[in-house]
Amino acid sequence: MAHRLRPVGREFASVAPVRLVFEREVSAPPPAVFDTLARDVTGWTAWFRAVTLARPLDGGAGREIRLVGAARFRETILVAEEPDVYAYRVDVTNVPGARAMAEEWRLRPAGTGTRVRWTMAVDGVTPFRLAMRAARPALAAGFRDAMTSLDRRLAG
């Protein structure tokens, strides 16, 4: 059953009770990575294996995301500062125990490529917070896989 989460702002990525941060370099420059993250929402399914549906909502101010395993999210874009930061919060989800969620993608030049930092920031009931911490290795592997796929996509 879907439920509404507490609305949070862009600062939540820095202050959330659980913050999972992952970094990886890709060969494409920051503007190309930003464009793929922020403007090609439907394209997420091509490079982020966990994403089974991604579509913009409300004229691009929001997104609908579905993941492998049937998790669903309705999100609001919090920040789209090209080419540095793309962030969104989850407004509605079917994930039990979640109270607040946001994700932030920070892009920094790294030679001719980009250093991508993905922060998943969450709050929820204690079992949810513990489950998110326990999921760190799986999320790290998913992020590495996604960045490898994104790198290939942007190189082709």
Side-chain angles (χ1 to χ4, degrees):
M1 166 166 263
H3 60 281
R4 184 161 290 283
L5 302 188
R6 180 177 82 240
V8 294
R10 70 185 290 178
E11 75 289 342
F12 190 68
S14 301
V15 300
V18 177
R19 294 177 62 250
L20 304 172
V21 181
F22 309 98
E23 291 192 34
R24 183 104 175 179
E25 286 187 20
V26 297
S27 57
V33 177
F34 182 89
D35 192 55
T36 301
L37 290 172
R39 293 192 183 93
D40 185 17
V41 173
T42 59
W44 280 54
T45 59
W47 59 269
F48 209 130
R49 190 179 313 176
V51 178
T52 61
L53 178 132
R55 66 181 178 131
L57 300 173
D58 305 322
R63 308 178 338 154
E64 177 186 4
I65 302 292
R66 293 185 186 189
L67 302 180
V68 170
R72 295 186 321 264
F73 306 93
R74 182 177 172 95
E75 303 168 340
T76 296
I77 307 305
L78 297 172
V79 181
E81 295 174 356
E82 187 174 358
D84 303 314
V85 184
Y86 182 63
Y88 43 88
R89 73 165 178 247
V90 176
D91 297 314
V92 177
T93 186
N94 65 340
V95 176
R99 291 185 180 149
M101 299 177 76
E103 295 181 28
E104 177 186 76
W105 296 80
R106 288 208 168 258
L107 311 175
R108 297 288 176 254
T112 59
T114 304
R115 181 105 182 135
V116 179
R117 184 176 73 201
W118 175 44
T119 301
M120 179 180 280
V122 301
D123 189 15
V125 298
T126 300
F128 173 77
R129 291 193 315 260
L130 292 171
M132 290 303 297
R133 286 185 182 107
R136 177 186 284 279
L139 291 167
F143 175 71
R144 280 191 308 273
D145 179 63
M147 291 300 96
T148 299
S149 293
L150 179 64
D151 206 17
R152 283 190 202 117
R153 180 178 175 91
L154 293 176

